Amino acid sequence: MTYSLGFDWLWGGAGALAYGAGMTLLLIACTTVFGTVLSVFGAAARRSRFGWLRRAVGIYVEVIRNTPFLVQLFFIFFGLPSLGIRLNPVTAAILAMTLNMAAYTTEVVGAGLDAIPKGQGEAARALGLKPRHVFFKVVLPQALKIIFPALTSQIVIMMLESAVVSQISVRELAQEADLLQARTFRSFETYLVVTMIYLAMSASLRRLLIAGGRRFLGAGIS
């Protein structure tokens, strides 16, 4: 039995794949912004003098890191409506991805904060800076520079994991690929093309993040 490769369908499916890729990039853009902000506050909370706040964030991190992303997604999209909270697929996907990414990057940001010598914060406070200014202007920028490679990797991983949200009918790249192969019966060619698209997006996103890190955090980012 021989199999003949055929890519004629690609001309008619290019628009759908482009739409799906655009939706994937939109999802990861929102997730990166919200997830990074949430992880910064999470890392700060885990070092708070309030024990209840440290415990609450610690429970959140452990729950998310020790349960499947698919289950988290289904809980938000299918479970919350039982409590009267209904989200459209895109909003549910962004929320699930944000909570998942933040749980992992909270630990990453925390490691960066712990790497900054305590004396720098003490010196800044001695100069009269308020605690929040010490954190956001002295400690956090240095911590982000230290953990930027790990943060970049986590963002790329989250983009690849976004394929899971096709399970709630978000029309991102994996969902569009499923619809295309169902119409064309060209599963091998469809997923080969989509694999190449994901590979290109991952490499481009990593380069973009590294360039942005060098621009806003200074030299030393690689």
Side-chain angles (χ1 to χ4, degrees):
M1 180 179 179
T2 59
Y3 182 81
S4 178
L5 291 174
F7 291 93
D8 294 342
W9 58 270
L10 188 56
W11 297 108
L17 293 178
Y19 177 87
M23 178 58 70
T24 295
L25 293 175
L26 174 63
L27 291 174
I28 194 57
C30 295
T31 299
T32 297
V33 174
F34 299 145
T36 302
V37 171
L38 184 59
S39 66
V40 168
F41 285 102
R46 293 210 72 175
R47 286 148 186 80
S48 168
R49 59 189 177 88
F50 300 107
W52 63 269
L53 184 57
R54 294 196 303 271
R55 288 190 293 273
V57 175
I59 291 172
Y60 154 69
V61 169
E62 289 302 314
V63 168
I64 296 297
R65 293 182 64 173
N66 291 285
T67 55
F69 176 53
L70 182 61
V71 173
Q72 299 163 20
L73 179 66
F74 281 177
F75 177 81
I76 290 172
F77 188 69
F78 295 114
L80 290 184
S82 300
L83 303 178
I85 304 174
R86 290 177 172 79
L87 304 174
N88 65 58
V90 173
T91 302
I94 292 173
L95 178 58
M97 290 172 63
T98 296
L99 293 176
N100 186 275
M101 176 181 163
Y104 286 90
T105 52
T106 289
E107 296 299 286
V108 173
V109 174
L113 295 177
D114 292 339
I116 305 303
K118 301 294 184 182
Q120 294 199 22
E122 294 171 356
R125 286 190 292 272
L127 292 174
L129 291 179
K130 295 181 180 180
R132 65 175 181 273
H133 292 152
V134 173
F135 180 76
F136 286 107
K137 294 185 177 182
V138 177
V139 177
L140 183 59
Q142 296 182 76
L144 289 177
K145 185 175 180 179
I146 293 172
I147 58 93
F148 194 80
L151 182 61
T152 296
S153 295
Q154 191 59 50
I155 292 171
V156 173
I157 290 171
M158 196 71 249
M159 187 197 74
L160 298 177
E161 288 189 356
S162 69
V164 174
V165 306
S166 63
Q167 298 299 308
I168 59 172
S169 300
V170 177
R171 294 190 61 182
E172 45 68 68
L173 185 55
Q175 172 74 354
E176 292 295 343
D178 288 342
L179 296 175
L180 270 176
Q181 68 87 21
R183 292 199 305 266
T184 63
F185 300 102
R186 289 287 183 176
S187 300
F188 180 84
E189 293 91 333
T190 300
Y191 290 115
L192 177 61
V193 171
V194 169
T195 297
M196 294 299 103
I197 294 174
Y198 271 118
L199 182 61
M201 289 169 60
S202 297
S204 299
L205 179 59
R206 188 178 297 275
R207 288 179 178 274
L208 180 64
L209 290 171
I210 290 174
R214 288 173 177 163
R215 171 67 176 81
F216 294 105
L217 297 178
I221 303 297
S222 61

